[in-house]
Amino acid sequence: MHPYTAPLADIRFVLHEVLDVPALYARLPGSDAATRELIDAVLDEGARFVETVLAPLYQSADAEGCHFDPATGAVTTPKGFKAAYAQWVENGWGGLTAPESAGGQNLPETLGAVIKELVDATNLAWGNYPLLSHGAIEALKHFGSDWQKEVFLNRIVSGEWCATMCLTEPHCGSDLGLLKTRAEPGADGSFAVTGTKIFITGGDHDLTDNIVHLVLARLPDAPAGTKGISLFIVPKRKTGRDGVAGEANAVRCGSIEHKMGIHGSATCVMNFDGAQGWLLGEPHRGLMAMFAMMNSARLGVGLQGLGLMDRAYRCALAYSKERLQMRALGGPKFPEKPADPILVHPDVRRMLLTCKALSEGSRALALHGASLLDVIERSSDAAERKQADELLSFLTPIIKACLTEWAVEGTYHALQCFGGHGYIREQGMEQLARDARITTIYEGTTGIQAIDLLARKTLQTQGMGLKHMLTMIVEFCTAQTRNTALAEFVAPLAKAAQDWQQLTLEIGRRAGQNPEEIGAASVDYLFYSGYVVLAYWWARSVATADAGAHPDAFKTAKRETARFYFQRILPRTQTHAAAILSGAGNLMALEAEAF
Amino acid sequence: MHPYTAPLADIRFVLHEVLDVPALYARLPGSDAATRELIDAVLDEGARFVETVLAPLYQSADAEGCHFDPATGAVTTPKGFKAAYAQWVENGWGGLTAPESAGGQNLPETLGAVIKELVDATNLAWGNYPLLSHGAIEALKHFGSDWQKEVFLNRIVSGEWCATMCLTEPHCGSDLGLLKTRAEPGADGSFAVTGTKIFITGGDHDLTDNIVHLVLARLPDAPAGTKGISLFIVPKRKTGRDGVAGEANAVRCGSIEHKMGIHGSATCVMNFDGAQGWLLGEPHRGLMAMFAMMNSARLGVGLQGLGLMDRAYRCALAYSKERLQMRALGGPKFPEKPADPILVHPDVRRMLLTCKALSEGSRALALHGASLLDVIERSSDAAERKQADELLSFLTPIIKACLTEWAVEGTYHALQCFGGHGYIREQGMEQLARDARITTIYEGTTGIQAIDLLARKTLQTQGMGLKHMLTMIVEFCTAQTRNTALAEFVAPLAKAAQDWQQLTLEIGRRAGQNPEEIGAASVDYLFYSGYVVLAYWWARSVATADAGAHPDAFKTAKRETARFYFQRILPRTQTHAAAILSGAGNLMALEAEAF
């Protein structure tokens, strides 16, 4: 597999210029430590860590997978994972963005997001263990009592313990209202949690001595459906207010799944048999706390998509420069060689540029999303916080679903550039494709994200988040009106934004008459939105590059990639619009038996 | 994994009604045995064979894979493969379409194509062994000398021996002009073949005692490039004119590849070290003979795509009827159940209908292609043969590339219907996706098919094949002018055909000025063409269903699926047209260093 070199030049361009995060952190309370110099130093360290520690374990962990011992219920991670985790903890990466009060470094989420991209580009399976801890930190930070923070949060931040999210049960995945796991109150304020959870990432492993499970379950008096679900802290080893991790709790891994990819990530069936747990947050309000984890986890999964597609792109680019095959259609470009490198072929370029346009555009989009998290958490201006929250709520399903769908597409194209060699394990390309395949499923499938975007985040809010995004686009287009060098992007972007608004209104109108129009439009609307938002980031990237002190080659690359995006990718919106406007009829007419 | 039931109702509908093959065989010389009754009997037997013999081995073969013994170079196939092959031979399937003179049953290729779909739907890896034999039969039938037919063809037809195609070398895949394997003439009329071939499907295995390799190599006096390549018969065991398979030949499997999928199909590195071989056909004309194999193999790979997507669709449909999750957006459909089956959700239907529309449409397209083979091989009318040949040459890259790309898409959607359960090996859905991934690569990647379609089969022939296809479409539309029930399909089909023609002319005009426009348009043109051709088969399917004696449910299903296709899939042509018309500039501008 081609070695990984972190794309720091593009990351710095997005952070420092497109988003100008140093200026943001200079004004956000408690963030002034995050100067450009500090950010750059962290990036260099992060790149070194993933390039030297995680990347070398990528293929070996896939070949080896996790081991499960049925006699003890213990899971062993692939060779090297434990040592890599120890080094991660020692370097303080786990607490990068966590509050100082919990022992963290309090650095911005935007920086954490960059590090997440690098981790996932080099070792997605490994990256899932810290990802779950990051989610638990969010939940404990916002909903934990003082002693819970002291005992659990601080140890997760330090990396001493890992965490999980236990939602899914055999009969309930997307539909959490169906869940059956129950929690009986005990005399000492603890609860006895009983039930079976499946698809639990990191449910058991050997990276840490204790594992903090956050488990959704029902109290005895709970109302039915989603309004009767509470969240519990259930440690692998019984741990109470004194913070001592004692004997084994009544929770045990029953088996691990054999999956298409992410073999190094243990996906466990977890059996809770009256396990000691502690209520986290209020009774029956567990989903709210879980969503606090989930939004951060969804952004995280979007970053997984970004990391995978960027990695795949860079491998395919390197291969396309080396591999000699056929001559350019206009005549030999390298007559001294037996054939031309395949990068001369327009169709290979089409595949590579698709990867490049989608991944660089996605980077700006995802890091913008992460920067909104920082505004929400740190701004002293309530109106600014509210607006950032509305916009991020709207963008989260787009980031989660589009970046992962594009990762599936990007890893497809990148593998295809390798021809038959891409199908062989040795090159690592098929592993990237297999690993990418889970990202459109976990933390809510693309279909679930699409309903979240259209029903909850758009129609139910009267398009509040959409309005903020449209305002950003209109303001940008207005500011660039006289910039003739940008006209080829600004004009179609302004048109796309207008069409997006009209399309949304039309869907809303139809949904008022028939709610099935929402589901019938949702995934196409999600993609439509994603392509318009990416067009904005591409136009803005060109404007930023032009305005900055960059070599001509850099400016040209941004402009040409943007041109490719606007001319060859953005037209996909036409197909999505046609599908949306065709209505629900062509989906709903067929009786179940007639399929 | 859901059990497989062959989709015989739809297959019979396409064969007997849409294509009316019984009428075709009644008039083609030497085909009158292929009556409707006989075809139906063969279909029943074929379905029984794949359902009971091949389907049960699908998942176990993937888990086990092939075994390679470095000490002997011997490959062992997964448990059950050898017995299944023996039963295949015993039932006479291998010689189904082979000439009677070689011991075959001389049945039409269209029937062979249906059996191929069934085999690949149930066990793609296993199906690759007979596929290669089928290709070798084509080459030997057309180019073999009498003794070569006697010795090799007859034994491949009987199934006693298997065959391979040895083209690829480490440095040459798509670009066969670079190949280095050489053949030195010996005193006895044989040749000593030396070189290394890679990615050889079935290069070694335990299904048969002898394996007939068809190997591309250069004679000592060969011109450089593709005009200096000859084809040789190189048996695993030395076999001469007397037909006796003697001692081991100097050809040996050096290793087998570890691949993303088709684990039961042995992909071998083959080392030829002065192996005894026999020239097949004329010196330096090996590629022509190889293309005789390859066209049939390309149609075969298209059928693999069809089989995989149909299988995946049927599994996803069954799951979507069983799996209860969430309520319909318009209110509960099954209030007595804890949740509605996911088939009520519009987006699940969108995914299923995409699979259904692409696979049923593809079946008509692929079987039409196979029926053209029968016309080419059997018609006594030279003009009819010529026209069928021109049309099939044009359709072959469309069938190969579109059906396999749609298989990748279809297996994606089908897996997605399963949510997290689709990512687990147990359900078999991820295996279908992994297996499908090779089909857009081998026998020429999608990019290679696209160049073949646009450059060789369209522009170089002044659109001869395209004209035949357009004529079929126009004749159909004209005949249906007064059929108001079909207007919703006929009008957009006629428009699409017209646009297709205009687009082709425009590409031709541009290509005259800049040959890179061909490569820049090719894959989008391929998809554009595929979607228009499928629209034709969908419109024709509705017309045929309406005219036949079918239950209303059948007619409605065809009509509603066609409506879905026209309203939600056909608009993809807009995006492809936009990409094509955007020209080569946005692909070629970037310097290699600037990527």
Side-chain angles (χ1 to χ4, degrees):
Chain A
M1 192 172 189
H2 288 79
Y4 178 72
T5 307
L8 292 185
D10 196 61
I11 289 170
R12 290 201 171 101
F13 170 69
V14 173
L15 282 180
H16 299 325
E17 298 183 54
V18 180
L19 299 173
D20 195 3
V21 297
L24 177 67
Y25 299 131
R27 71 173 180 79
L28 286 182
S31 305
D32 50 351
T35 59
R36 179 166 181 154
E37 290 65 34
L38 182 119
I39 290 171
D40 283 345
V42 173
L43 291 181
D44 287 338
E45 276 309 306
R48 202 184 343 263
F49 178 79
V50 303
E51 290 166 5
T52 59
V53 178
L54 296 185
L57 301 175
Y58 185 59
Q59 293 183 280
S60 58
D62 181 69
E64 183 189 346
C66 292
H67 306 276
F68 172 67
D69 180 353
T72 61
V75 175
T76 312
T77 57
K79 204 176 151 195
F81 269 34
K82 189 171 176 168
Y85 182 77
Q87 199 169 333
W88 168 265
V89 169
E90 194 185 318
N91 295 1
W93 290 112
L96 190 73
T97 61
E100 278 175 355
S101 58
Q105 296 176 57
N106 191 35
L107 285 168
E109 288 292 342
T110 318
L111 192 53
V114 172
I115 299 300
K116 175 118 196 73
E117 179 199 328
L118 303 188
V119 166
D120 295 326
T122 47
N123 208 319
L124 179 65
W126 186 91
N128 269 338
Y129 299 98
L131 173 65
L132 272 296
S133 290
H134 185 263
I137 289 171
E138 289 304 304
L140 284 160
K141 194 168 79 177
H142 292 294
F143 300 97
S145 65
D146 288 346
W147 80 265
Q148 289 171 341
K149 287 184 185 170
E150 180 77 24
V151 171
F152 298 107
L153 177 61
N154 294 5
R155 259 112 152 206
I156 296 173
V157 167
S158 74
E160 186 184 345
W161 296 347
C162 276
T164 75
M165 286 166 66
C166 300
L167 289 75
T168 304
E169 298 179 8
H171 60 287
C172 82
S174 303
D175 192 354
L176 288 172
L178 299 174
L179 80 79
K180 291 178 181 167
T181 297
R182 60 188 200 278
E184 303 278 345
D188 62 349
S190 74
F191 293 80
V193 177
T194 302
T196 298
K197 297 284 182 178
I198 64 168
F199 299 163
I200 306 308
T201 299
D204 197 65
H205 57 71
D206 56 356
L207 303 185
T208 54
D209 177 53
N210 201 4
I211 299 171
V212 182
H213 304 292
L214 299 192
V215 184
L216 289 182
R218 287 183 192 284
L219 288 166
D221 58 343
T226 54
K227 291 189 173 128
I229 299 175
S230 308
L231 185 58
F232 298 87
I233 304 170
V234 183
K236 177 179 176 181
R237 293 174 56 187
K238 279 190 186 176
T239 314
R241 290 184 170 79
D242 60 4
V244 178
E247 59 178 359
N249 204 349
V251 48
R252 185 175 159 134
C253 175
S255 62
I256 58 174
E257 306 291 352
H258 297 96
K259 307 184 299 294
M260 185 180 194
I262 52 166
H263 295 161
S265 173
T267 305
C268 304
V269 173
M270 297 301 295
N271 298 313
F272 295 85
D273 189 14
Q276 185 194 65
W278 307 98
L279 182 67
L280 177 58
E282 292 175 46
H284 315 320
R285 304 292 296 276
L287 276 194
M288 204 178 67
M290 192 52 96
F291 272 109
M293 292 176 71
M294 216 142 44
N295 276 331
S296 132
R298 285 178 172 179
L299 189 58
V301 175
L303 290 163
Q304 296 185 342
L306 169 60
L308 290 165
M309 77 179 130
D310 181 85
R311 178 87 207 260
Y313 163 64
R314 278 161 210 287
C315 291
L317 177 60
Y319 186 78
S320 301
K321 289 178 177 178
E322 293 160 15
R323 175 74 172 173
L324 308 179
Q325 208 77 173
M326 324 285 273
R327 290 298 182 183
L329 286 163
K333 292 274 171 75
F334 295 83
E336 75 288 0
K337 294 184 177 175
D340 288 333
I342 61 173
L343 184 60
V344 306
H345 304 308
D347 191 59
V348 171
R349 289 173 160 255
R350 179 187 63 84
M351 296 191 282
L352 290 170
L353 282 165
T354 302
C355 297
K356 183 177 171 70
L358 292 176
S359 57
E360 291 181 13
S362 292
R363 184 173 291 123
L365 166 56
L367 296 185
H368 172 239
S371 76
L372 292 171
L373 265 185
D374 289 323
V375 173
I376 295 165
E377 301 216 335
R378 295 168 191 246
S379 172
S380 52
D381 176 344
E384 187 189 23
R385 286 201 306 272
K386 179 168 176 290
Q387 181 172 328
D389 190 42
E390 288 163 352
L391 180 53
L392 182 59
S393 292
F394 176 76
L395 291 176
T396 297
I398 297 176
I399 294 171
K400 196 286 181 181
C402 288
L403 270 58
T404 58
E405 292 281 350
W406 293 334
V408 170
E409 179 181 347
T411 53
Y412 176 87
H413 291 309
L415 192 161
Q416 195 74 7
C417 289
F418 280 73
H421 296 274
Y423 199 67
I424 304 298
R425 291 211 185 131
E426 194 181 349
Q427 293 286 357
M429 302 308 291
E430 61 87 36
Q431 187 185 344
L432 289 168
R434 284 187 288 109
D435 285 359
R437 189 63 190 83
I438 188 59
T439 61
T440 68
I441 297 171
Y442 62 14
E443 300 301 338
T445 63
T446 299
I448 293 293
Q449 303 301 324
I451 284 285
D452 182 48
L453 174 70
L454 183 55
R456 294 184 52 212
K457 306 294 179 57
T458 306
L459 301 179
Q460 277 178 31
T461 67
Q462 275 77 45
M464 192 56 78
L466 172 63
K467 274 178 211 153
H468 297 319
M469 190 66 229
L470 287 172
T471 302
M472 280 179 73
I473 296 177
V474 169
E475 283 176 359
F476 171 78
C477 291
T478 308
Q480 300 289 339
T481 309
R482 286 159 196 277
N483 185 350
T484 52
L486 219 67
E488 66 176 299
F489 307 121
V490 167
L493 173 62
K495 168 83 166 57
Q498 206 168 30
D499 292 347
W500 188 19
Q501 188 173 23
Q502 288 306 313
L503 187 67
T504 310
L505 290 171
E506 174 62 19
I507 297 170
R509 197 188 59 74
R510 293 177 181 206
Q513 288 155 10
N514 176 7
E516 276 166 349
E517 289 287 342
I518 301 171
S522 56
V523 166
D524 284 293
Y525 182 77
L526 173 95
F527 277 114
Y528 190 103
S529 305
Y531 289 120
V532 177
V533 174
L534 222 62
Y536 166 75
W537 287 110
W538 266 112
R540 212 173 125 174
S541 293
V542 176
T544 307
D546 280 355
H550 295 283
D552 279 352
F554 184 88
K555 294 183 183 189
T556 306
K558 283 293 175 196
R559 173 172 294 273
E560 290 298 338
T561 310
R563 192 170 280 159
F564 170 86
Y565 181 83
F566 272 82
Q567 296 183 359
R568 286 187 177 252
I569 305 288
L570 186 59
R572 294 181 185 183
T573 50
Q574 296 171 27
T575 303
H576 292 299
I580 290 167
L581 295 173
S582 76
N586 55 32
L587 297 177
M588 305 313 293
L590 219 51
E591 297 291 329
E593 303 71 40
F595 267 82
Chain B
M1 192 171 190
H2 288 80
Y4 178 73
T5 307
L8 292 186
D10 195 60
I11 288 170
R12 290 201 170 101
F13 170 68
V14 173
L15 282 181
H16 300 325
E17 298 183 53
V18 180
L19 299 174
D20 195 3
V21 297
L24 177 68
Y25 299 131
R27 71 172 180 80
L28 286 181
S31 305
D32 50 352
T35 60
R36 180 166 179 153
E37 290 65 34
L38 182 118
I39 290 171
D40 283 345
V42 173
L43 292 181
D44 287 338
E45 275 309 306
R48 203 185 338 265
F49 179 80
V50 304
E51 289 165 6
T52 59
V53 178
L54 296 185
L57 301 175
Y58 185 58
Q59 292 183 279
S60 58
D62 181 68
E64 183 189 346
C66 292
H67 306 275
F68 172 68
D69 180 355
T72 63
V75 174
T76 311
T77 57
K79 204 174 152 197
F81 268 34
K82 190 172 176 167
Y85 182 77
Q87 200 168 331
W88 170 265
V89 169
E90 194 185 317
N91 296 2
W93 291 111
L96 191 72
T97 62
E100 279 175 354
S101 59
Q105 296 176 57
N106 190 36
L107 285 169
E109 289 292 343
T110 318
L111 193 53
V114 172
I115 300 300
K116 174 117 198 75
E117 179 198 330
L118 303 187
V119 166
D120 295 326
T122 47
N123 208 318
L124 179 65
W126 185 92
N128 269 338
Y129 299 99
L131 173 64
L132 272 295
S133 290
H134 186 263
I137 289 171
E138 290 303 303
L140 283 160
K141 194 168 80 177
H142 292 294
F143 300 98
S145 65
D146 287 346
W147 80 264
Q148 289 171 341
K149 287 184 185 171
E150 181 76 25
V151 171
F152 298 109
L153 176 61
N154 294 7
R155 259 113 151 205
I156 296 172
V157 167
S158 74
E160 186 184 345
W161 297 347
C162 277
T164 74
M165 286 166 65
C166 299
L167 289 75
T168 304
E169 299 179 7
H171 59 287
C172 82
S174 304
D175 192 355
L176 288 171
L178 299 174
L179 80 78
K180 291 179 182 167
T181 297
R182 60 188 199 279
E184 302 278 346
D188 63 348
S190 74
F191 294 80
V193 176
T194 302
T196 298
K197 297 285 182 178
I198 64 168
F199 298 162
I200 306 309
T201 300
D204 196 65
H205 58 71
D206 56 356
L207 304 185
T208 54
D209 177 52
N210 201 3
I211 300 171
V212 181
H213 304 291
L214 298 192
V215 184
L216 289 182
R218 287 183 192 284
L219 289 166
D221 59 342
T226 54
K227 291 187 174 131
I229 299 174
S230 308
L231 185 59
F232 296 87
I233 304 169
V234 183
K236 177 180 176 180
R237 293 175 55 189
K238 278 189 185 175
T239 314
R241 289 183 172 78
D242 60 4
V244 178
E247 60 178 357
N249 204 349
V251 48
R252 186 175 159 135
C253 174
S255 62
I256 59 175
E257 306 291 353
H258 296 96
K259 307 184 300 292
M260 185 180 194
I262 53 166
H263 295 161
S265 174
T267 305
C268 304
V269 173
M270 297 302 294
N271 298 313
F272 296 84
D273 188 16
Q276 185 193 65
W278 306 99
L279 183 67
L280 176 58
E282 292 176 46
H284 315 319
R285 305 291 296 275
L287 275 194
M288 204 178 68
M290 192 53 95
F291 271 108
M293 294 176 69
M294 216 142 45
N295 275 331
S296 133
R298 285 177 172 179
L299 189 57
V301 175
L303 290 161
Q304 295 185 342
L306 169 60
L308 291 165
M309 78 179 129
D310 181 85
R311 178 89 206 258
Y313 163 63
R314 279 160 209 288
C315 292
L317 177 60
Y319 185 78
S320 302
K321 289 177 177 179
E322 294 160 14
R323 174 74 171 173
L324 308 178
Q325 208 77 174
M326 323 287 274
R327 290 298 182 185
L329 285 163
K333 292 273 171 77
F334 294 82
E336 76 287 2
K337 294 184 178 176
D340 287 334
I342 61 172
L343 185 60
V344 306
H345 303 309
D347 191 59
V348 171
R349 288 173 160 256
R350 180 187 62 84
M351 295 191 281
L352 290 170
L353 282 165
T354 302
C355 296
K356 182 176 170 69
L358 292 177
S359 58
E360 291 181 13
S362 292
R363 183 174 291 123
L365 165 57
L367 295 185
H368 172 238
S371 75
L372 292 171
L373 264 184
D374 289 322
V375 173
I376 295 165
E377 302 216 335
R378 295 170 190 242
S379 171
S380 51
D381 177 344
E384 188 190 22
R385 286 201 306 273
K386 179 168 175 291
Q387 181 172 327
D389 190 43
E390 288 163 352
L391 180 53
L392 182 59
S393 292
F394 175 75
L395 291 176
T396 297
I398 296 176
I399 295 171
K400 195 288 180 179
C402 287
L403 270 58
T404 57
E405 292 281 351
W406 292 334
V408 170
E409 180 181 348
T411 54
Y412 176 87
H413 292 309
L415 191 160
Q416 196 74 8
C417 289
F418 280 74
H421 296 274
Y423 199 67
I424 304 299
R425 290 209 187 134
E426 196 181 347
Q427 294 284 359
M429 302 308 291
E430 61 88 35
Q431 187 184 345
L432 290 169
R434 284 188 287 110
D435 285 359
R437 190 63 190 83
I438 188 59
T439 62
T440 68
I441 298 172
Y442 63 13
E443 302 299 337
T445 63
T446 299
I448 293 293
Q449 304 300 324
I451 282 286
D452 182 48
L453 174 70
L454 183 55
R456 294 184 51 211
K457 305 294 179 58
T458 305
L459 301 179
Q460 277 177 30
T461 67
Q462 273 77 46
M464 191 57 77
L466 172 63
K467 274 177 212 155
H468 297 318
M469 191 66 228
L470 288 172
T471 302
M472 281 178 71
I473 297 177
V474 169
E475 283 176 359
F476 171 78
C477 291
T478 308
Q480 300 290 339
T481 310
R482 285 159 196 278
N483 184 350
T484 52
L486 219 67
E488 66 176 299
F489 307 122
V490 167
L493 174 61
K495 169 81 166 55
Q498 205 168 31
D499 291 348
W500 189 18
Q501 187 173 24
Q502 288 307 314
L503 188 67
T504 310
L505 290 171
E506 174 62 19
I507 297 170
R509 196 188 62 71
R510 293 177 182 205
Q513 288 155 11
N514 176 8
E516 276 166 348
E517 289 287 342
I518 302 171
S522 56
V523 167
D524 284 292
Y525 182 77
L526 173 95
F527 278 114
Y528 190 103
S529 305
Y531 288 120
V532 177
V533 174
L534 222 63
Y536 166 76
W537 286 110
W538 266 112
R540 214 175 123 173
S541 294
V542 177
T544 307
D546 280 355
H550 294 284
D552 280 352
F554 184 89
K555 293 183 184 188
T556 306
K558 283 292 174 195
R559 173 172 293 274
E560 290 298 339
T561 310
R563 193 170 280 158
F564 171 86
Y565 181 83
F566 272 82
Q567 296 182 359
R568 286 189 177 250
I569 305 287
L570 187 58
R572 294 181 185 183
T573 50
Q574 296 171 26
T575 303
H576 292 298
I580 290 167
L581 295 173
S582 76
N586 55 33
L587 298 177
M588 305 313 293
L590 220 51
E591 298 292 328
E593 304 70 41
F595 266 82

